[in-house]
Amino acid sequence: MNIKAEDLVFGRWPEILSAAGMDSRFFNLKNGPCPFCGGSDRFRWAKKNGGCWVCNQCTEGRYASGFRMLMDHMGYRSFREAADHVRSYFGAGEHIQAIVREAREARGNEMSPDQAQRNLQRIMRFWDEGRSITRDDPVDRYLRRRVPGLDVEPCMLRYHPALEYWAPPEQEGGKPVSLGKHPAMLALALDVHGDPVQLHKTFLTPAGEKAAVPLAKKTDYGLGITSFAIRMMEPLGDTLGVSEGIETGLAAVMLRRIPVWPCLNGPAMAQFQLPEELKGQIRRLVIFADHDERKRAGVVDGVQKFRRPGSFYAEQLAQRVRKESVKVLVIKAASEGQDMANQWVAQCERSHNH
């Protein structure tokens, strides 16, 4: 019998993760501190889909799988390592086969084609409600504040004049709460085939500052695709840049004068793929890595491991792309805790003072 790790974990993540050394208090279904980034109430474990977790910072307010938690906790670099961990935990024989049969009957948590179609319609409805960015609208003000001197007009970004903000329910099973309508920046992400699969929203004030909402930056319900990018600029030469954030990407454009595609987060950047039509054209990929502080990455053989997430995801991408005969340059912000946007602002301030 071919045993898939995905068939073993439904409803059993708390015991798997607790056995791996994670404190059982993280699975009490209440808001609390995140095991990875701290805080006071930004994390919650839920029973939906057989067990998943959400953190306003680490997962940008969206539910993530137990596999991601296991990888982050143990410092695993690939899904295969996490899957092997799960299989080793359960052992073999009739016991493990019974678990598989039970889980296959209980689950059904994969996104259906109908749900994906509804999510796509939602994404495109918001996108169609957006407008082109114009001088002095809230999005223009926001971008020029974050990236001083910005002199490019990015594609795939729009201004929404009044986007409703829905806060998640305070308790599992509750209803979302509306916190009013706000100006917003929309960013449409495309997969490797050029199809829309995700929408990123930055809620703003009319003055172009981040809105006073629990999470000013949110991604919408996607289509279950984990590799995507905001194609802000058309690649003209043989070089393309990628980044995590939108503002980071625009600052990288100003610093290096090359087209940059933001991937919205580290895991998506690590899985970035060049579209087929660019594989003969792009011969150098420049990865703009956030210079994150060291964070706990699990205990291995009794030793606490640490890693810098920005560098970790950048290196994952670099290793894979090099195997495709594409040259890679990784550029990291000079100071810990900063990204390219911080570096660009500092450069502008130095130039102004001189």
Side-chain angles (χ1 to χ4, degrees):
M1 182 179 184
N2 183 23
I3 304 299
K4 290 186 177 182
E6 297 94 320
D7 291 329
L8 296 169
V9 298
F10 193 87
R12 289 183 165 84
W13 274 120
E15 65 177 276
I16 296 169
L17 292 162
S18 296
M22 183 161 279
D23 196 319
S24 60
R25 65 188 172 91
F26 291 119
F27 310 108
N28 62 11
L29 306 181
K30 298 179 181 178
N31 286 7
C34 177
F36 306 113
C37 67
S40 58
D41 62 352
R42 62 179 58 156
F43 169 91
R44 184 171 70 251
W45 180 264
K47 291 183 178 180
K48 62 187 295 184
N49 296 337
C52 55
W53 61 289
V54 62
C55 170
N56 285 346
Q57 180 165 306
C58 295
T59 70
E60 297 184 327
R62 301 194 61 210
Y63 284 101
S65 74
F67 282 106
R68 174 171 169 182
M69 179 174 277
L70 181 62
M71 291 175 69
D72 287 355
H73 174 64
M74 297 299 295
Y76 292 145
R77 297 175 66 89
S78 68
F79 175 83
R80 182 175 180 177
E81 290 176 289
D84 287 344
H85 179 118
V86 168
R87 282 188 286 265
S88 296
Y89 172 76
F90 283 105
E94 293 183 2
H95 171 66
I96 197 172
Q97 294 186 24
I99 292 173
V100 171
R101 288 193 297 270
E102 177 183 322
R104 283 178 175 168
E105 291 175 1
R107 66 189 305 216
N109 58 323
E110 295 182 0
M111 185 178 297
S112 68
D114 287 345
Q115 183 62 57
Q117 183 62 31
R118 286 194 295 270
N119 289 355
L120 177 60
Q121 290 173 351
R122 171 189 170 93
I123 286 172
M124 297 313 297
R125 175 168 58 84
F126 288 145
W127 183 247
D128 291 341
E129 291 172 355
R131 310 171 181 173
S132 297
I133 301 169
T134 57
R135 186 72 180 184
D136 285 333
D137 71 23
V139 174
D140 180 70
R141 293 177 180 179
Y142 170 74
L143 291 177
R144 293 183 188 280
R145 180 178 287 110
R146 293 286 283 119
V147 188
L150 183 65
D151 61 3
V152 298
E153 295 183 4
C155 304
M156 311 312 293
L157 299 184
R158 285 184 181 177
Y159 160 52
H160 194 296
L163 186 63
E164 193 158 15
Y165 185 97
W166 291 94
E170 295 183 0
Q171 296 181 342
E172 188 176 2
K175 294 183 178 181
V177 179
S178 173
L179 299 183
K181 294 183 178 181
H182 305 263
M185 177 173 72
L186 305 180
L188 188 64
L190 310 181
D191 66 8
V192 68
H193 306 294
D195 297 322
V197 295
Q198 186 54 272
L199 185 74
H200 188 268
K201 302 170 286 189
T202 304
F203 290 86
L204 304 170
T205 68
E209 298 177 348
K210 288 183 181 178
V213 293
L215 195 64
K217 294 186 175 185
K218 299 179 73 173
T219 49
D220 209 271
Y221 300 104
L223 276 65
I225 306 298
T226 57
S227 175
F228 45 73
I230 310 295
R231 301 187 183 187
M232 291 196 306
M233 297 163 196
E234 193 72 26
L236 299 177
D238 64 356
T239 300
L240 177 66
V242 293
S243 66
E244 291 191 34
I246 297 168
E247 301 88 340
T248 300
L250 289 171
V253 173
M254 300 300 293
L255 283 163
R256 304 292 292 201
R257 288 299 173 180
I258 62 171
V260 178
W261 289 2
C263 301
L264 298 181
N265 58 62
M269 187 179 76
Q271 298 183 56
F272 174 77
Q273 301 177 59
L274 278 173
E276 285 294 329
E277 64 269 20
L278 292 181
K279 287 189 174 179
Q281 175 184 339
I282 301 301
R283 300 183 179 180
R284 185 176 73 151
L285 187 71
V286 182
I287 304 171
F288 294 96
D290 293 352
H291 193 162
D292 295 323
E293 298 175 353
R294 293 199 318 157
K295 295 184 179 180
R296 294 177 182 270
V299 178
V300 180
D301 296 330
V303 178
Q304 176 66 59
K305 299 293 184 181
F306 295 85
R307 73 171 183 224
R308 301 181 189 274
S311 300
F312 172 75
Y313 294 124
E315 187 56 33
Q316 280 191 317
L317 175 59
Q319 289 182 3
R320 179 167 50 78
V321 171
R322 288 189 183 109
K323 295 177 182 178
E324 300 172 2
S325 300
V326 175
K327 293 181 179 179
V328 176
L329 173 64
V330 178
I331 299 178
K332 185 166 62 176
S335 301
E336 184 179 79
Q338 296 194 338
D339 56 24
M340 290 298 135
N342 302 124
Q343 189 154 318
W344 172 249
V345 169
Q347 181 171 310
C348 290
E349 289 176 348
R350 287 194 300 268
S351 299
H352 178 73
N353 292 334
H354 292 160

